[in-house]
């Protein structure tokens, strides 16, 4: 645990008692603060009571009196589309609002660090798609290289639940826009921006607010190294703002396809190969084509970002390449879950928006595509260029018929449930086909989260593969 510094003897409230909220409450208590907690969900309040906390409604009159800070969990709106009533009360009362990420950065360094030969480092990864795989891959490379590493944030453990890093230790964080938007302290040593596509627009009042939330990690964090995916305009803009010129190697650009300017530090993914360029010269390369845990161009881009971070931490290209080949991939992200009669089954339940689904569709051919769910703003335009890879779509979700209206250009079938979708895809699949779950939608109309949706797919596939 990372005990929170700066609040000893003070009263601090925690709003939202999921994984990060309870972690923050415990870390505040460990640092000597008096933790006040609340969640609108009764079951969450009961769990907090079992952990030794006394819930107090933070929206009641006078609840903000004497508070030093309000710590808000990521799932709770603090500005758009409207602040939670507890947050609104804090804003009205002038109580500082923060989150567990802000507490982490203000509390990580201790006096013990003065005795270390190497100061611990923090690598923070954000972006719309690929940040989980990128963060996990960085962590994997570090472990394979014999370096102390911990994975936390939006993946792995809560940031305040990790152990204090030792001499030369590295903490790898995956950070969502909800987390970067609110944190009052953001000071990573290395920051990674994978890409940007339409997502969470209601929480950020549109694409500008969404990009601004991601940009805070760089503009306010001031990392020593910034690794920026530049395939989209936002990435190119961010890299331009952070760089003093094309030769400024504090900014490492990650790209796929043609890049005209190679005078700086560039990591390029093309035709299945990763190449590292420094000052106009190629200095290293890694063959990514046969790495089972990193299928498709999108994962090759993730590999480039992870490679750049590992290079910043002093790991050699040879060691990084060896570690890539040992990477098994993450659950629910282009995850192979079975094969029978020449038909492969791939679980990409994490493809919760159209842009991430498009990347999955680009990675395979002859696809039996299981899609649908709670549709997000922005529509399905990103998948259109890859519909030629789809033999047929099988649409799930409570509003499957409405979702299917976007798929008029390809054969499709309204299935509603995962059971029916998998049964129909298996019945019609031919050797060489790929049955792919890449929903291009949120899961909350039928499932608690994308993990539960992915596990349902795996279970349905198992009925056929193991029959």
């Amino acid at each position: 645990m990372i005990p929170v510094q700066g609040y000893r003897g003070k009263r601090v409230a925690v709003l939202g008692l999921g994984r990060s909220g309870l972690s923050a409450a415990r870390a505040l208590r460990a640092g000597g603060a008096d933790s006040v907690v609340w969640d609108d969900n009764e079951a969450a309040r009961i769990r907090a009571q079992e952990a030794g906390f006394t819930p107090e409604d933070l929206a009641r009159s006078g609840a903000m009196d004497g508070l030093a800070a309000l710590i808000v969990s990521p799932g709770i709106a603090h500005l758009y589309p409207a602040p939670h009533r507890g947050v609104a009360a804090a804003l009205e009362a002038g109580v500082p609002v923060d989150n567990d990420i802000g507490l982490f950065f203000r509390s990580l360094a201790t006096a013990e660090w003065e005795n270390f030969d190497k100061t611990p480092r923090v690598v923070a990864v954000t972006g719309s798609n690929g940040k989980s795989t990128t963060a996990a891959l960085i962590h994997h490379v570090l472990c394979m290289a014999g370096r102390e590493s911990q994975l936390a944030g939006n993946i792995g453990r809560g940031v305040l639940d990790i152990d204090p890093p030792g001499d030369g230790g590295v903490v790898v964080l995956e950070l969502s826009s909800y987390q970067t938007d609110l944190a009052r302290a953001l000071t990573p040593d290395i920051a990674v921006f994978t890409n940007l596509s339409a997502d969470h627009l209601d929480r950020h009042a549109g694409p500008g607010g969404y990009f601004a939330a991601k940009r805070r990690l760089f503009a306010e964090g001031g990392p020593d190294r910034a690794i920026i995916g530049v395939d989209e305009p936002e990435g190119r803009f961010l890299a331009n703002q952070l760089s003093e010129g094309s030769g400024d190697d504090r900014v490492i650009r990650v790209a796929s396809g043609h890049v005209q300017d190679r005078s700086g530090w560039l990591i390029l993914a093309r035709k299945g190969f990763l190449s590292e360029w420094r000052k106009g010269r190629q200095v290293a390369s890694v063959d990514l084509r046969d790495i089972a845990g990193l299928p498709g161009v999108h994962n090759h881009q993730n590999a480039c970002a992870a490679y750049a971070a590992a290079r910043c931490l002093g790991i050699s290209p040879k060691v990084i390449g060896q570690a890539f080949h040992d990477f098994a991939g993450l659950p629910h992200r282009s995850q192979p879950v079975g094969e029978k009669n020449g038909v492969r089954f791939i679980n990409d339940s994490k493809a919760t928006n159209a842009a991430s689904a498009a990347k999955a569709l680009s990675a395979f051919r002859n696809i039996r595509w299981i899609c649908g769910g709670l549709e997000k703003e922005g529509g399905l335009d990103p998948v259109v260029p890859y519909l030629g890879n789809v033999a047929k779509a099988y649409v799930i979700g409570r509003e499957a018929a409405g979702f299917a209206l976007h798929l008029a250009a390809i054969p499709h079938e309204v299935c509603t449930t995962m059971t029916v979708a998998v049964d129909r895809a298996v019945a019609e699949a031919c050797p060489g086909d790929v049955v792919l779950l890449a929903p291009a939608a949120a899961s909350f109309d039928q499932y608690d989260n994308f993990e539960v949706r992915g596990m349902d797919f795996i279970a349905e596939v198992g009925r056929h593969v193991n029959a």
Side-chain angles (χ1 to χ4, degrees), residues 53-406:
F53 298 99
T54 301
E56 298 182 23
D57 188 351
L58 296 174
R60 64 176 174 79
S61 177
M64 295 294 135
D65 295 348
L67 284 185
L70 173 66
I71 309 304
V72 180
S73 294
I76 295 175
H78 56 268
L79 185 56
Y80 302 113
H84 181 280
R85 57 199 182 105
V87 177
L91 298 177
E92 182 69 23
V95 174
V97 179
D98 203 350
N99 62 14
D100 64 326
I101 304 302
L103 296 181
F104 168 83
F105 278 112
R106 70 178 287 167
S107 305
L108 183 64
T110 65
E112 186 183 11
W113 286 23
E114 296 179 5
N115 301 319
F116 290 167
D117 291 330
K118 292 184 178 180
T119 302
R121 311 285 294 280
V122 176
V123 180
V125 182
T126 194
S128 296
N129 303 303
K131 56 185 179 291
S132 296
T133 297
T134 300
L137 189 53
I138 294 168
H139 172 65
H140 173 76
V141 171
L142 288 166
C143 292
M144 295 296 290
R147 301 279 291 273
E148 177 194 317
S149 178
Q150 298 182 79
L151 182 63
N154 212 37
I155 188 175
R157 291 184 286 173
V159 292
L160 296 170
D161 278 338
I162 68 171
D163 301 321
D167 194 337
V170 180
V171 178
V172 183
L173 303 180
E174 179 200 338
L175 299 181
S176 73
S177 60
Y178 295 178
Q179 294 168 311
T180 58
D181 195 23
L182 188 58
R184 297 171 73 91
L186 284 169
T187 53
D189 298 284
I190 300 167
V192 180
F193 176 87
T194 59
N195 51 56
L196 196 83
S197 61
D199 207 357
H200 309 305
L201 300 186
D202 58 332
R203 275 290 296 266
H204 299 292
Y210 180 46
F211 177 52
K214 301 287 189 184
R215 183 179 177 275
R216 288 192 75 239
L217 183 63
F218 302 85
E220 299 189 30
D224 295 331
R225 300 281 189 184
I227 299 165
I228 312 293
V230 295
D231 283 339
E232 292 85 27
E234 293 85 357
R236 292 191 288 274
F237 176 80
L238 180 58
N240 183 275
Q241 284 208 315
L242 297 173
S243 174
E244 293 297 326
S246 60
D248 185 354
D249 66 3
R250 295 173 304 169
V251 177
I252 305 172
R253 291 168 171 82
V254 169
S256 62
H258 178 72
V259 176
Q260 183 174 355
D261 182 9
R262 302 187 185 187
S263 59
W265 195 347
L266 170 70
I267 314 298
L268 182 63
R270 286 192 68 191
K271 298 180 179 179
F273 287 87
L274 177 157
S275 58
E276 178 183 3
W277 292 76
R278 302 288 296 271
K279 298 180 179 179
R281 294 177 55 249
Q282 182 177 328
V283 296
S285 67
V286 178
D287 187 349
L288 304 172
R289 292 174 298 176
D290 61 346
I291 301 178
L294 296 169
V297 173
H298 61 299
N299 275 313
H300 294 175
Q301 291 172 283
N302 297 335
C304 286
Y307 176 97
R311 294 289 284 135
C312 291
L313 293 167
I315 300 175
S316 72
K318 182 178 179 181
V319 171
I320 297 170
Q322 291 171 341
F324 281 1
H325 279 83
D326 291 328
F327 183 65
L330 290 178
H332 314 297
R333 294 141 173 109
S334 294
Q335 176 192 12
V337 296
E339 182 172 348
K340 188 173 184 179
N341 298 329
V343 178
R344 289 186 293 157
F345 298 86
I346 305 294
N347 167 28
D348 203 343
S349 184
K350 185 62 169 66
T352 58
N353 58 50
S356 54
K359 294 179 184 299
L361 293 177
S362 72
F364 304 101
R365 301 291 184 271
N366 304 319
I367 298 170
R368 302 283 170 177
W369 180 28
I370 298 178
C371 58
L374 193 62
E375 192 174 347
K376 293 186 175 181
E377 291 185 46
L380 294 181
D381 287 350
V383 307
V384 172
Y386 307 103
L387 292 180
N389 295 342
V390 178
K392 184 176 178 179
Y394 305 83
V395 188
I396 63 173
R398 292 180 184 172
E399 303 298 329
F403 194 97
L405 294 176
H406 299 291

Side-chain angles (χ1 to χ4, degrees), residues 343 345 361 366-373 390-397 400-401 403-404 407 410-430 433-440 446 457:
V343 178
F345 298 86
L361 293 177
N366 304 319
I367 298 170
R368 302 283 170 177
W369 180 28
I370 298 178
C371 58
V390 178
K392 184 176 178 179
Y394 305 83
V395 188
I396 63 173
F403 194 97
L407 305 176
I410 60 173
H412 61 274
E413 181 176 340
V414 174
C415 297
T416 306
T417 68
M418 188 71 73
T419 300
V420 174
V422 172
D423 285 350
R424 295 294 299 142
V426 169
E428 298 181 346
C430 303
D433 285 359
V434 173
V435 177
L436 170 69
L437 171 65
Q446 291 182 309
F457 175 72

